Amino acid sequence: MNNLKKTLALMAALAMTATAFVGCGEEESSSVSESSSVAEEVSEEASEEASEEASEEASEEASEEASEEVSEEVVEAEVPALGTPDGTLGDGGDALTILCWTEDDLKFMYDVVANASGMDKSKMVWSQVGTAGGEANEKYAQVFASDDDVDLFFCDADWNMAYQNNDEYSAPLSAVGITEDMYANAYDYTGAMGKDQNGGPKGATWQVAAGGYAYRTDLAEQYLGITTPEDMQAAIGDWAAFWETAATVYEASEGVTAMADSLGGVWRAYSNGNRTSAWVQDGVITADNSKACLGDFISMAKTNYDAGYISTASQWTDDWLPQGMSAGAQANKTFGFFFPTWSLGAGSQLSTAEGEEGAEGSTYGMYNIVSGPTGWFWGGTWICVSPKTDNATEAGQFIYYMTVDSTSMQAYVDAKSDFVNNKVVMANTIKAGTNSNPLLGGQDQLAVLADSAANIDMSIATQYDATINTELQNAVQAYCEGTIASEEDCVDEFLNKLSESLTDVTVE
Amino acid sequence: MASTAQSRIKSISYAKYGYMFIAPFFIVYAFFQIWPLINTFILSFYGNGDAASEFVAIENYQTLLFGGEGRRERALNDTFFQSFANTVILWVGNFAPQILLSLLLAVWFTDSKLHIPGQGAFKVIMYLPNIITAVSVAALFMRFISNSQMSAVNTILQSLGNETIKFENDPTWSRGIVMFIQTWMWFGNTMIMMMSGILGINPSLFEAANIDGASSGQVLRKITLPLLKPMVVYTLITSMIGGLQMFDIPFLYHTAQGDIKDHLRTVAVFIYEQFRVGNNVHSPQYGIAGAASIMLFVVTAILGIFVFRMNRDQDEARKKAERKALVKEYKKQQKLAKMGGID
């Protein structure tokens, strides 16, 4: 009896001890155990939120008209077949495991890769890490530190450099048989962005995230008398014209409708379309350089915000997307949104902004897209190889069929109508005219954004851009809302916050 | 004459089983609580970001307390002091109304003359906000009154044809809202404390006062409050420790992503931000976060001791001191006697 009591007491004590470890568990969900309907919902949200932290880089001014057809024949360059792994990485493991936060994309990719390579689909599993890009960024390090199997992982343009520049986290693509000359048909900037600080390719992307301006066709007709995207593009061809049109819209709508959906949207377009200087140079942000990077953005933002041409809603808040509907508290508050390619598909930001088809205030299909006041881009996801992989062959195949092979990439476009990183595939798709987006009233967004895509230049991107974007938007928002008194204070506040969070960059 | 069996039994110590049973807890506690505490202290002397393994002595403390030449040092210094000021303002602003409200309610609920009906229900309802997690409370208030155009207050303003207000941007509004939330969440808890304190007072004192014809105001001032002092001090100390570490509501009360307002940033929020800065996960500033934590700890300890000393029973303290002096004197004499004995 005594022994029984002792044993019970010991067990109770052990159980109490064990509860202390409860917090140490892992939080990832895995593809194996997930029910698909829930998974889909989660991932839709995920891809939406992932973009929240999406990147900021720069491209040259691209003021080509959207109406300009991509008519010239794109010559397909010969690309070499997939090589074999060089033996530095493990091979022959059980399953190809991919870390991501966008399992919605993954479902399509598995079909595409399995069909193209003949790989057994059951050999591929994904692991959903967090529901947003920023969360994935934080949690990847934990996954890498554990002994869990990781073969490939997805990185947002915001922070892929931080992983690519670290040999502990990423292996060179050459180790899985991928070489640079395979990307002859790819958009140039994607290759540059996938290299580490020594110039070795470390990441590859299937995506090109060109941005445009999606506007309400019914409001355009009502306020501006414009019925075609060509006329719309002509009316907002550069920033001056854009704000002029904004004034017309504002007056015609009696102060209800703002031209731009949010300050964040204007900043993305400006930063990735008009900025010509990298924020951080030789580990320093100088006063002159920050001035050059900012250009006239702050005064432009303040003037137009005060005038009511920029909506007061912030991106990624509950106020933001409902502005795109024609009923409700936020009805008609914006004329259009600055959206990249990944915001235009089913279940994305545009479909939230429009509301469900037939619902009250729904603007389903009442949008068109034009390239807007500047050619710009926003984000993108790169695939990197983990040095701990035990499936080098399959990892190479996955990257090859998602980012190199024209046939399988075409299949992905047809399935997902994403803008893929292959000029030939895009040219063919646009020429064939097979892509028709019901959210845009049947318009083909790929054709409109092709020019912007061709002009994307990420050479001035730095791994600090995510932090810089956040702090700048907060400071400018505060200045516009009147909590910061002057433009000088606004820049000062922005640089102060930056200097606090960047440890390895000197802010002058 | 005890048998050998008896003496053997005497020598068995059951204490060791006790130690064995409590050992798991203390091992886990040492590993997961004490060690992190010590490690925080050690980390506060090391660098930030990529230089996390570099020993920098008191540089982090210098930066936070005195600033320095560079923009980074000045900015951190400003933010740190601003966050301290915020913490104090937010704590005072929620403690003052909270203790007054709790006292009033506690006096009413315990007054035998009033006989408030449905007391139990009132107590439960007033305690309820404390049961809801801070995250839910924050979410609730974000929907109710915030920057969002769709928050209840802004919707009403809009439907009345007024301009919407960005409640988070205005220091008075946002601090007021945070203070209100904190008060609303904690007054029920404090009220229960006060009630237990009042019920602990000898009822014969109240009866005697009644017989002597004291008014309820006199009873409150001459009996309840003086005898409730230890409980008020206890509440003050616990609330102050909690208040200096205030984190959840100020951290959660913002609409736009990562847009924590300068006038709501408490020290705990500052520490968290330095420890893990949103997008900047690859260079956490352990040194700065550690130094700020240690300073918060020191300030809390000093304030705690100060309040405790200020409010302890004066008579009790004097008696204790006298007792100590007596014991000392006695020991001295004993020693003298002993020495005398040796001689």
Side-chain angles (χ1 to χ4, degrees), chain A residues 217-303:
Chain A
T217 45
D218 57 332
L219 294 183
E221 197 173 345
Q222 191 183 339
Y223 297 145
L224 302 170
I226 287 176
T227 50
T228 63
E230 289 75 26
D231 291 346
M232 190 66 211
Q233 176 59 27
I236 59 167
D238 56 43
W239 285 113
F242 185 81
W243 299 121
E244 245 170 70
T245 310
T248 319
V249 169
Y250 185 79
E251 274 157 36
S253 65
E254 288 165 349
V256 171
T257 308
M259 193 71 180
D261 59 295
S262 64
L263 266 177
V266 179
W267 168 245
R268 288 286 174 186
Y270 187 91
S271 164
N272 292 345
N274 304 93
R275 190 165 55 91
T276 51
S277 173
W279 278 106
V280 182
Q281 286 166 355
D282 304 322
V284 183
I285 298 178
T286 62
D288 288 340
N289 187 39
S290 59
K291 224 172 255 168
C293 289
L294 285 169
D296 62 348
F297 174 72
I298 297 183
S299 56
M300 176 176 102
K302 177 70 174 169
T303 316

Side-chain angles (χ1 to χ4, degrees), chain A residues 74-77 185-187 406 410 422-429:
Chain A
V74 176
V75 185
E76 176 156 16
N185 295 322
Y187 289 84
S406 297
Q410 182 70 57
N422 190 316
K423 289 175 183 165
V424 183
V425 171
M426 288 329 292
N428 290 342
T429 311

Side-chain angles (χ1 to χ4, degrees), chain B residues 188-201:
Chain B
N189 188 58
T190 313
M191 182 187 76
I192 304 279
M193 291 284 185
M194 294 295 148
M195 278 171 61
S196 73
I198 294 174
L199 291 174
I201 297 170

Side-chain angles (χ1 to χ4, degrees), chain B residues 36-236:
Chain B
L37 279 176
I38 298 169
N39 201 27
T40 307
F41 192 66
I42 297 172
L43 279 176
S44 70
F45 296 107
Y46 282 85
N48 298 292
D50 293 339
S53 54
E54 194 182 307
F55 186 77
V56 298
I58 55 165
E59 202 180 272
N60 293 320
Y61 291 91
Q62 265 177 341
T63 305
L64 288 177
L65 288 175
F66 308 112
E69 286 298 296
R71 182 185 278 274
R72 176 178 153 78
E73 283 75 19
R74 275 184 285 127
L76 280 171
N77 175 248
D78 283 351
T79 313
F80 183 62
F81 276 94
Q82 173 73 50
S83 62
F84 244 114
N86 291 338
T87 312
V88 174
I89 293 169
L90 288 176
W91 175 68
V92 171
N94 95 76
F95 186 71
Q98 179 191 326
I99 195 98
L100 290 177
L101 190 63
S102 314
L103 257 178
L104 185 73
L105 290 169
V107 169
W108 281 349
F109 282 143
T110 51
D111 196 324
S112 52
K113 284 190 287 185
L114 278 176
H115 287 303
I116 295 172
Q119 272 198 33
F122 275 121
K123 283 180 211 163
V124 169
I125 289 166
M126 283 164 183
Y127 193 78
L128 269 182
N130 204 247
I131 300 173
I132 312 170
T133 59
V135 180
S136 316
V137 172
L140 188 77
F141 275 84
M142 296 302 298
R143 286 276 159 207
F144 177 56
I145 182 166
S146 70
N147 267 8
S148 172
Q149 310 264 317
M150 311 225 290
S151 64
V153 175
N154 273 332
T155 313
I156 294 170
L157 283 175
Q158 259 176 317
S159 66
L160 294 177
N162 294 317
E163 285 279 298
T164 57
I165 299 174
K166 299 247 174 190
F167 289 100
E168 293 156 35
N169 295 358
D170 184 58
T172 319
W173 270 115
S174 58
R175 280 179 183 157
I177 290 164
V178 170
M179 287 171 193
F180 176 81
I181 298 175
Q182 293 281 1
T183 308
W184 178 72
M185 276 182 80
W186 287 97
F187 83 96
N189 188 58
T190 313
M191 182 187 76
I192 304 279
M193 291 284 185
M194 294 295 148
M195 278 171 61
S196 73
I198 294 174
L199 291 174
I201 297 170
N202 192 341
S204 58
L205 291 171
F206 293 111
E207 281 163 23
N210 279 339
I211 292 164
D212 289 348
S215 70
S216 48
Q218 281 172 318
V219 172
L220 178 68
R221 267 179 292 122
K222 306 276 160 119
I223 299 175
T224 314
L225 285 185
L227 290 173
L228 199 57
K229 208 171 155 191
M231 193 49 89
V232 175
V233 173
Y234 168 76
T235 314
L236 181 67

